[in-house]
Amino acid sequence: MHSVVIVFILVYLFCCGYVAIRGMQALPKNRFLRVLWFMLVICFSVLWIITTVFVKKLPKEEITWLKVIGSAWIIAVAYGAMFAIMLDGLRMINRLFRIYPRFVREHYAGVKLSLFALIVLAIAASFTLGYFHFQEPSVRKLELTVPKSGGNMESVHIAVVSDLHLGYVLDRKYAERFVSGINALNADMILLVGDTIDREAAPLFEDNDQEVLRRLNAPLGVYAVLGNHEYLGNVGENIRLLRDSGIQVLIDESVKIKDSFYLVGRDDYMNPDRMELPYLLKKINPVLPIIIMDHQPRDLNTPEKNGVDLQLSGHTHNGQAWPMNWILYALYEVPYGYKQKGNMHVYVSSGLGLWGPPFRIGTDSEIIDLTIHFAPVEKE
């Protein structure tokens, strides 16, 4: 985990420096403008670090805005570096093959400045559109059949959500919106597949978000597992907030629902002592359907080999902002969506909330409207 953080910071700092230098070169040869640009890049670049280090020492309102701006800058600088690399590649090709038209060669300084302005406007426009897109989460209908008897239940209707990331940025008003959207499905059961809390429970306690979360209503119960972000903060306080909200938190535990199927909640990979899955399933009757919640979709082979019928995961956000959703396919067997792996169904949600700034680019926030049919295979 620490090595991943170090690599991320190094890449981030490289991108910040690259954008700072290329931006200066695109601006007119005016000392004031270039110094101003360089100082702005430095200020924005350290905001994310400041909010991470001093999150408990600054007022809630200030932390919220610093987090939004600082995390938005991470995405902005990634896009800026991507555009700069593309233009540098084009410039190298031009040196070899002279592909620039005459107008570009004769007005090179003006073309550079125009491209700089267009890139800034394009990033700003994508953030604006992404903000409005995030305000309208999708409802994904998913209907599956498990070839096992569900006892006296022929089917079960489940509302599945992951990655609400409630906290400083996604505050009480978002919690109310999320709860309303989930309850609108009138599901038999509600499952929260990790990262319900974004690191720290303090802003949720301060806003009394427990009162909002208690409105989650389903006759078979509301269940949750922990994600990596619950562990990045005070995990004990995060668990307390969830349980104070009337949510049953499953930490390497299983429950039998109406003698019809098992719901298993795995602890997150962030806990190195989490229980091995075969041991966790040891006391479960495999004749009944087995549904597992495991926040990070890292290992799909173990549950498939151990007779799990459905695994529900989140964590990836489907990249949250393009082109990260493409990159995820190199990291996960199922980075997003549905797959049948052997006899096991898998669904990885893009999440209802998000990390950082409240916008999505090229991805959707979602609530999964899941119906599972139990249909035992008749022996001939």
Side-chain angles (χ1 to χ4, degrees):
M1 181 65 186
H2 294 297
S3 59
V4 173
V5 173
I6 291 169
V7 169
F8 173 80
I9 291 173
L10 290 175
V11 171
Y12 170 65
L13 293 176
F14 168 79
C15 289
C16 290
Y18 190 49
V19 167
I21 292 169
R22 286 292 181 255
M24 286 175 61
Q25 291 172 342
L27 290 170
K29 292 181 179 179
N30 180 297
R31 184 181 179 87
F32 173 76
L33 284 178
R34 292 190 168 188
V35 170
L36 177 63
W37 166 253
F38 194 78
M39 294 304 297
L40 284 173
V41 171
I42 291 175
C43 290
F44 283 129
S45 299
V46 299
L47 278 181
W48 170 69
I49 298 171
I50 289 172
T51 56
T52 303
V53 174
F54 298 104
V55 65
K56 295 182 180 179
K57 298 179 181 179
L58 294 173
K60 180 175 178 290
E61 290 74 18
E62 281 78 355
I63 282 290
T64 299
W65 282 106
L66 289 174
K67 275 182 169 288
V68 169
I69 297 169
S71 54
W73 175 254
I74 293 175
I75 300 174
V77 83
Y79 282 163
M82 182 175 68
F83 279 119
I85 290 169
M86 290 168 58
L87 291 173
D88 279 349
L90 196 62
R91 187 168 57 184
M92 290 176 66
I93 294 171
N94 179 67
R95 286 179 179 176
L96 294 173
F97 302 106
R98 298 291 181 180
I99 62 171
Y100 286 171
R102 181 177 177 181
F103 177 83
V104 172
R105 295 196 304 270
E106 292 178 352
H107 303 86
Y108 193 60
V111 169
K112 284 197 301 181
L113 182 59
S114 298
L115 284 172
F116 174 82
L118 283 173
I119 290 169
V120 171
L121 288 173
I123 293 172
S126 67
F127 283 9
T128 303
L129 293 172
Y131 170 79
F132 289 107
H133 182 55
F134 172 59
Q135 308 307 312
E136 299 293 336
S138 301
V139 176
R140 305 283 189 211
K141 286 189 175 292
L142 181 63
E143 200 160 346
L144 306 174
T145 299
V146 172
K148 290 182 180 179
S149 172
N152 59 358
M153 294 185 69
E154 295 183 356
S155 65
V156 62
H157 180 204
I158 306 174
V160 182
V161 292
S162 75
D163 300 275
L164 274 68
H165 285 278
L166 298 174
Y168 288 102
V169 177
L170 301 185
D171 55 14
R172 182 177 171 119
K173 71 175 184 294
Y174 279 101
E176 291 176 341
R177 190 180 304 171
F178 292 164
V179 167
S180 177
I182 295 166
N183 282 340
L185 296 185
N186 294 313
D188 301 322
M189 175 185 287
I190 296 170
L191 302 181
L192 309 176
V193 195
D195 281 3
T196 304
I197 299 171
D198 191 36
R199 294 177 66 104
E200 300 293 342
L204 281 74
F205 278 122
E206 185 178 333
D207 288 345
N208 194 20
D209 280 23
Q210 310 97 293
E211 187 271 330
V212 178
L213 293 173
R214 285 191 202 105
R215 299 176 201 163
L216 288 169
N217 183 38
L220 297 183
V222 181
Y223 295 88
V225 291
L226 303 178
N228 56 304
H229 275 254
E230 275 90 13
Y231 274 100
L232 289 173
N234 185 324
V235 66
E237 284 294 283
N238 290 334
I239 293 170
R240 183 167 74 88
L241 184 131
L242 292 171
R243 287 178 172 160
D244 285 354
S245 304
I247 297 167
Q248 300 181 63
V249 184
L250 301 179
I251 306 173
D252 283 337
E253 298 173 82
S254 63
V255 292
K256 188 191 285 187
I257 308 296
K258 293 188 69 175
D259 289 325
S260 296
F261 63 93
Y262 288 98
L263 177 65
V264 181
R266 299 206 69 187
D267 202 352
D268 189 68
Y269 272 96
M270 288 284 284
N271 182 358
D273 298 320
R274 82 169 185 163
M275 194 180 295
E276 294 293 330
L277 184 60
Y279 186 80
L280 180 57
L281 298 177
K282 202 171 183 180
K283 297 180 180 180
I284 285 179
N285 181 1
V287 171
L288 291 177
I290 302 170
I291 301 171
I292 279 189
M293 293 190 289
D294 191 357
H295 178 64
Q296 301 188 46
R298 292 193 181 193
D299 174 20
L300 301 180
N301 292 319
T302 301
E304 191 268 330
K305 290 176 181 176
N306 282 272
V308 171
D309 297 293
L310 169 63
Q311 174 164 320
L312 298 168
S313 298
H315 180 64
T316 67
H317 296 209
N318 192 22
Q320 189 166 315
W322 177 90
M324 276 301 299
N325 48 338
W326 293 358
I327 296 170
L328 287 175
Y329 281 90
L331 304 176
Y332 296 96
E333 181 180 353
V334 184
Y336 167 65
Y338 171 79
K339 178 179 180 177
Q340 181 157 0
K341 183 178 175 67
N343 293 321
M344 181 178 74
H345 301 283
V346 179
Y347 193 88
V348 179
S349 174
S350 61
L352 181 54
L354 38 67
W355 173 87
F359 53 72
R360 280 185 177 267
I361 302 169
T363 67
D364 298 323
S365 291
E366 67 177 14
I367 302 170
I368 300 98
D369 185 359
L370 171 63
T371 300
I372 304 173
H373 300 283
F374 304 121
V377 177
E378 295 184 6
K379 295 181 179 180
E380 296 182 358

